[in-house]
Amino acid sequence: MNQTNQETQRQDALQQRFILEAAKDYAIFTTDLERRITSWNAGAEVMLGYPDVEILGQLADVLYVAEDRQQGVPQYEAQQAQTEGRAENERWHCRKDGSQLYGSGVITPLLDESGQLIGLVKIMRDLTGQKLAEGKLRESERRLRLAIEATELATWDWNLLTNEVYWNEQHFRLFGLQPCLNPLTPDDFLTHVHPDDRERLTNLLQQTIATRGVYDTEFCAVMEDGSQRWMSGYGRVVEEVDGQPARMSGVMLDITERRRAEEALHQADQRKDEFLALLAHELRNPMATLSNTLLILELTGGQDERMPLAGALSMMRREVAQLVRLVDDLLDVSRINQGKIVLRLEPLDLVELLEKATEATRPLIEVEHRDFTVKLPTQALFLQGDAVRLTQVVRNLLSNATKFTREGGHIWLSLEAKGEEAILQVVDDGIGIPADQLERIFEVFAQVDASRTRSQGGLGLGLTLVKEFIELHGGRVEARSGGADRGSVFSAHLPVLNSKAHESNH
Ligand code: ADP
């Protein structure tokens, strides 16, 4: 070897040393074919903690964690680098002080000038920080996922670049679907949105993405089985790439129950308003009659033959009686609502009670030109009852039958014993009740089609009281009708006392 050659080689070696020393962020070291360390740069010292004097000559295996050593990973990687020309290595390594570092590196063959394999070179980067951060991120994602699963919250994630939508299990279940891992499209979601809401939601989503705003809306969803439920959707753009929205995420909540409650509240509120209007109307009529009659009496002193005193007084008595009944009904309903109605129960003969009640009501029915037929058992029928309340039931049913039957119409009242029950029926051939109203008419303030029944007056309280009183007696009440102009049948079933119980009560 001549002088120049030797000089060049010296220069090269020096240069390489400088490069190796400068690459402080990389651990670069070489081994011989027995995996003994033959060179060690400053980066390796910083990263792995061994000064070169200490590590040179040692097996590179000391840098591997015990488990990898036991599994022969150092040998395997060296072998792979020799045979394939390269081995990638990304795994935990051991520092001198026993702590661990996550290194990512490559191992390549080291050749001499003649191309002869003399060892291996390993270049490694320290990725411990990243690895730990990844682990933490994964852990926090796992915790978040567990929390979401625990709250049964339905979540969605929309990749705006690929247009793929991912739902969690709860989201699938919310829409009545089997969970699946494949990505969906925004259209898959929109098919579950009611057609009336589709366009609005599409626009809202686009607008939210464009303005990076918040998507917060309620809509009607169509389930897999065709049923409809109310949902609340919430979401926003959570990731941007190069200033472009890349991902939108959010949650979905079934708010059907809340919506129903709101609707019920709204209806109740509306009904209350209607009721107040009705009440004012109901009070005004008798009061107008009373004040007019009073005025005439004042002016005429009861001497005018067109308004004789006796007639005026009886008219006023009738109107006052109506007002008193109205107020009594209102007080009863309010007591029912507060659970304050108490029955005064005593053993009583229902047949006798009905005889008295029908005789008292008959003139009121007949004066309206309705034909009234009563059919009662010949034998007494005893039950534990409150005579005042049961009379009220009969009066209300008969008063309705009269109100909702035309002149010349028929009304039948009957009582029969069947097993442990007494069945009281009030039947008429009047205007009838539409099938879809049969349950509702027992609700407080409920009236069928105001325009049809309004002319008859009333506050929609009568049947509420009937139902409540019958149920307080342990019975039940039902309404039937063939429909418009087919008349109505009201049946009250009441438990009777068997004869023995009755005897023992005496
Ligand atoms: P009100 O008679 O004061 O309106 P009710 O609670 O007694 O209140 O009755 C509620 C509604 O049920 C009535 O407004 C009427 O529409 C309907 N209804 C009750 N009884 C009859 C009947 N015999 N025939 C037809 N409709 C009836």
Side-chain angles (χ1 to χ4, degrees), residues 359-400:
E359 281 327 301
T361 325
R362 184 178 287 281
L364 301 175
I365 298 174
E366 286 176 351
V367 80
E368 300 284 340
H369 307 289
R370 312 302 192 253
D371 182 64
F372 185 35
T373 311
V374 178
K375 194 166 164 245
L376 298 174
T378 45
Q379 297 224 315
L381 200 51
F382 282 92
L383 50 69
Q384 278 290 102
D386 181 324
V388 175
R389 296 313 191 184
L390 288 176
T391 306
Q392 217 172 329
V393 165
V394 178
R395 201 185 59 211
N396 285 359
L397 290 177
L398 288 176
S399 141
N400 277 348

Side-chain angles (χ1 to χ4, degrees), residues 241-257:
V241 173
D242 299 331
Q244 290 303 310
R247 210 173 132 195
M248 190 173 180
S249 296
V251 293
M252 188 79 75
L253 212 63
D254 187 325
I255 52 160
T256 312
E257 295 313 316

